[in-house]
């Protein structure tokens, strides 16, 4: 019997590749009790809900329906996966204008019904849109979370695992900063059982480039990324609802963090029922610090052009 929280409701806004796959993942994991799907394209949300409901005889008792914003009233976690996704060749930042626009009405609709939940942003550029969500919702920063570099760190761990022939679950390694082209790997912290890992320069370059460019490669091949991001979102949601206090590289508001303030970036954070309970201090090398500041400055200059 899974450890399901009785009154846990998750709402997913945007039921495209990411939202629908996340819904399906939550359904299979059976850790929540209610799941609501909302999309500007109502037919799409209805179709996904119908299709998933027909699988319920094979899974547990998650109550699932296509709903509307009033269903946010009882939501514990509201996932935003709505909006434009990258087309082949586009960067995540290229999506900013289109997606910042739709966030206005999405956030307004959420806060009309909910003042207590946790908003989990997946839409890209995720760090900037998490900051936009913070400003527009008026929620405290612990309750506005971006999926950040959790997915990138998973890709990094997978590739290191391949290189070392070790299960990626046993690899501890972090990508921090922007979920995007300015993200950075923390090679000095990569370890197995506390034992540091050695890599040749060529291996480092190959592993990091494959991590950073994974989305471009997958989008070129199949049009969207969906499975790993859905598992990453499930991980964050379960850590929240089960009050796990797991350390996850989510995007969170930084305040005097390695000299960086007032921007959302992916860093190791303790995630529990309160949302982001605490950000862990990282001792960065001079090189890493320079890259981390560059990542922060890049996002801040984009934020400066927004009407917030
Ligand atoms: N954070 C991450 O690690 C990560 C990973 C993959 C994708 N993404 C991002 O997630 C977002 C969704 O990607 P996707 O592949 O699912 O796209 P998609 O095009 O398959 O789905 C987007 C859905 O959003 C809906 N939508 C659009 N405007 C809306 C609105 N105002 N209200 C409600 N619904 C609306 C559309 O109808 C569509 O169903 C993109 O921005 C993508 O870049 C993030």
């Amino acid at each position: 019997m899974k450890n399901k929280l009785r009154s846990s409701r998750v709402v997913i806004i945007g039921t495209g590749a990411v939202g629908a796959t996340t819904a399906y993942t939550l359904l299979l994991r059976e850790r929540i009790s209610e799941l609501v799907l909302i999309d500007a394209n109502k037919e799409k949300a209805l179709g996904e809900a119908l299709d998933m409901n027909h699988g319920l005889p094979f899974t547990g008792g998650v109550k699932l329906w296509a709903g509307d914003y009033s269903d946010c009233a009882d939501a514990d976690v509201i996932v935003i996966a709505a909006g434009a996704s990258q087309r082949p060749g586009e960067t995540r930042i290229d999506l900013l204008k289109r997606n910042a626009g739709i966030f206005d009405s999405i956030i307004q609709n959420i806060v009309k019904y909910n003042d207590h939940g946790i908003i989990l942003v997946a839409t890209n550029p995720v760090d900037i849109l998490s900051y936009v969500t913070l400003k527009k919702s008026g929620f405290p920063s612990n309750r506005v979370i971006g999926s950040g570099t959790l997915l990138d760190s998973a890709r990094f761990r997978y590739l290191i695992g391949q290189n070392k022939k070790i299960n990626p679950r046993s690899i501890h390694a972090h990508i921090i900063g922007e979920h995007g082209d300015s993200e950075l790997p923390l090679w000095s912290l990569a370890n197995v059982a506390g034992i540091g890992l050695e890599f040749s320069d060529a291996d480092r370059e190959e592993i990091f480039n494959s991590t950073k460019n994974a989305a471009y490669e997958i989008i070129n091949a199949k049009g969207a990324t969906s499975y790993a991001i859905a598992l990453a979102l499930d991980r964050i949601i379960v850590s929240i609802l089960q009050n796990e206090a797991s350390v996850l590289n989510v995007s969170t508001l930084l305040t005097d963090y390695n000299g960086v303030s007032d921007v959302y970036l992916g860093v190791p954070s303790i995630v529990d029922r309160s949302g982001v309970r605490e950000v862990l201090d990282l001792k960065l090398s001079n090189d890493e610090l320079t890259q981390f500041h560059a990542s922060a400055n890049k996002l801040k200059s984009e934020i400066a052009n927004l009407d917030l």
Side-chain angles (χ1 to χ4, degrees):
M1 171 93 176
K2 296 255 172 66
N3 184 12
K4 190 186 322 190
L5 292 179
R6 286 207 170 278
S7 59
S8 48
R9 177 182 293 185
V10 175
V11 172
I12 298 181
I13 301 168
T15 57
V18 173
T21 314
T22 302
Y24 186 59
T25 305
L26 290 167
L27 201 68
L28 293 182
R29 296 277 211 193
E30 298 176 36
R31 296 282 183 77
I32 62 169
S33 47
E34 295 180 340
L35 183 53
V36 184
L37 306 182
I38 297 176
D39 200 289
N41 177 351
K42 286 192 175 161
E43 283 292 304
K44 173 82 166 92
L46 273 171
E48 297 292 358
L50 205 55
D51 195 5
M52 281 184 243
N53 269 328
H54 295 164
L56 288 186
F58 307 115
T59 64
V62 179
K63 194 173 169 215
L64 166 82
W65 68 96
D68 53 44
Y69 281 97
S70 64
D71 291 309
C72 289
D74 296 323
D76 301 289
V77 180
I78 298 161
V79 179
I80 309 179
S85 57
Q86 289 164 272
R87 291 185 283 251
E90 268 187 326
T91 70
R92 296 174 178 95
I93 294 285
D94 291 335
L95 302 173
L96 180 56
K97 280 226 163 60
R98 273 176 282 164
N99 287 344
I102 67 166
F103 264 53
D104 259 342
S105 68
I106 290 176
I107 305 300
Q108 259 179 44
N109 279 319
I110 293 172
V111 299
K112 199 159 133 194
Y113 296 102
N114 187 307
D115 62 2
H116 63 273
I118 291 174
I119 304 179
L120 174 56
V121 180
T123 304
N124 277 317
V126 68
D127 305 286
I128 299 177
L129 291 177
S130 301
Y131 186 86
V132 168
T133 301
L134 174 83
K135 293 293 172 192
K136 295 202 181 280
S137 66
F139 278 24
S141 61
N142 58 302
R143 291 201 280 113
V144 176
I145 306 176
S147 60
T149 46
L150 186 60
L151 172 59
D152 316 69
S153 299
R155 288 171 172 154
F156 193 45
R157 291 167 62 196
Y158 165 75
L159 290 162
I160 292 175
Q162 292 286 100
N163 179 276
K164 297 292 180 195
K165 299 189 172 43
I166 294 175
N167 190 306
R169 281 181 299 184
S170 298
I171 308 279
H172 301 282
H174 303 267
I175 299 284
I176 63 166
E178 177 198 5
H179 168 60
D181 298 338
S182 71
E183 66 190 23
L184 57 137
L186 299 182
W187 291 109
S188 58
L189 293 183
N191 77 83
V192 170
I195 304 160
L197 293 168
E198 304 284 327
F199 300 92
S200 67
D201 287 348
D203 279 354
R204 282 188 183 208
E205 196 180 329
E206 191 188 324
I207 290 170
F208 179 53
N209 282 339
S210 298
T211 301
K212 194 170 63 169
N213 297 325
Y216 296 115
E217 194 182 341
I218 297 166
I219 289 165
N220 277 334
K222 59 166 257 196
T225 65
S226 53
Y227 300 114
I229 177 60
L231 286 161
L233 292 169
D234 169 80
R235 188 79 278 284
I236 299 168
I237 292 165
V238 171
S239 191
I240 292 168
L241 295 176
Q242 310 266 24
N243 200 24
E244 276 183 8
S246 289
V247 175
L248 304 171
N249 291 332
V250 293
S251 190
T252 188
L253 182 71
L254 299 183
T255 306
D256 198 15
Y257 184 86
N258 277 291
V260 170
S261 289
D262 201 33
V263 68
Y264 265 68
L265 286 176
V267 289
S269 309
I270 301 174
V271 178
D272 69 8
R273 194 64 188 79
S274 66
V276 169
R277 188 185 86 199
E278 196 181 325
V279 178
L280 297 185
D281 262 337
L282 279 175
K283 297 274 168 287
L284 301 180
S285 68
N286 285 342
D287 237 25
E288 289 164 348
L289 207 54
T290 306
Q291 288 179 64
F292 189 63
H293 284 185
S295 196
N297 291 338
K298 173 186 171 188
L299 298 193
K300 281 184 161 202
S301 67
E302 296 291 341
I303 288 169
N305 296 325
L306 295 174
D307 180 22
L308 290 175

